[in-house]
Amino acid sequence: MINILSSGNNDRLQLIEIPCIAFDIGPDIDKLSTQMGLNDLIIITSPQAAGVFIDSWSSIGKPPVKIVSVGKGTSKPLEAVGLIPIFEPSDATGETLAEELPESLGKTILYPSSSLADNKLTDILTSRGFQVTRINTYCTVPATWSEEQLAIAKTIDIVTFASPSAIKIWTERVGNQTPAVVVIGPT
């Protein structure tokens, strides 16, 4: 979801939400339920990955699992269903998680992720001696915009982004001349 702040014709800011991204089922979704019990840890790196995981976990009877979360925003939906992460890194990035994950928690990892995620987390963990099984359980796709949403997007003053995918879609549709841009983390 993109939050757009626009002053329009007056001095008040108006919040407008236009989603840039939507989600679809990933090619490995069917592997998630069968891989869950085969690893010491399951790493969750986004709220979307958490939602996909929770659906699969619930569908197979909520077996006991050890969850590692990239940060508080990702942990929130997990905790809401009773999945309390056993580790969160000092900074909410996949790279920091991979660098700080204690080896004492286990050596085999299931990493359900977006098909667009880079391999940095997997590469760092593997270089540290962990065995990582990455499965692409969802993919990010462009959200559909109406002509009205596109027209509004072209007149805004400030845009906030929470993912590289959203930035890519925004620039493809609107360009990169937005007066002010705010991003979360290293996005």
Side-chain angles (χ1 to χ4, degrees):
M1 188 70 65
I2 297 301
N3 293 320
I4 301 171
L5 298 174
S6 179
S7 61
N9 295 329
N10 57 39
D11 292 337
R12 292 186 184 172
L13 291 179
Q14 178 184 6
L15 176 64
I16 302 165
E17 295 185 14
I18 301 176
C20 281
I21 59 174
F23 301 101
D24 202 354
I25 295 170
D28 299 332
I29 190 66
D30 293 335
K31 296 178 184 176
L32 183 53
S33 61
T34 59
Q35 290 288 318
M36 237 178 260
L38 304 178
N39 296 275
D40 298 327
L41 304 170
I42 300 168
I43 291 181
I44 307 293
T45 57
S46 72
Q48 179 62 26
V52 171
F53 176 80
I54 290 166
D55 289 346
S56 182
W57 173 74
S58 296
S59 75
I60 60 169
K62 301 180 179 181
V65 291
K66 292 182 185 175
I67 301 289
V68 171
S69 171
V70 74
K72 303 254 182 263
T74 297
S75 294
K76 190 173 182 176
L78 296 165
E79 291 169 348
V81 296
L83 291 168
I84 309 303
I86 61 171
F87 178 78
E88 287 179 356
S90 62
D91 185 42
T93 66
E95 185 174 354
T96 303
L97 186 154
E99 292 169 351
E100 294 180 356
L101 184 65
E103 293 179 30
S104 61
L105 296 178
K107 295 298 275 183
T108 61
I109 296 170
L110 177 62
Y111 172 39
S113 70
S114 163
S115 59
L116 296 180
D118 65 29
N119 291 318
K120 192 176 288 188
L121 181 139
T122 303
D123 292 346
I124 294 170
L125 288 169
T126 301
S127 74
R128 292 186 55 214
F130 290 95
Q131 295 174 346
V132 182
T133 301
R134 174 183 168 155
I135 55 175
N136 297 317
T137 56
Y138 70 97
C139 56
T140 303
V141 297
T144 303
W145 284 8
S146 67
E147 290 298 320
E148 179 184 13
Q149 287 173 312
L150 180 59
I152 290 169
K154 290 180 177 181
T155 66
I156 59 84
D157 300 312
I158 302 168
V159 181
T160 63
F161 295 103
S163 77
S165 297
I167 294 170
K168 180 178 185 245
I169 292 163
W170 178 271
T171 57
E172 287 172 357
R173 293 178 179 175
V174 180
N176 61 2
Q177 301 304 311
T178 303
V181 175
V182 179
V183 299
I184 184 171
T187 297

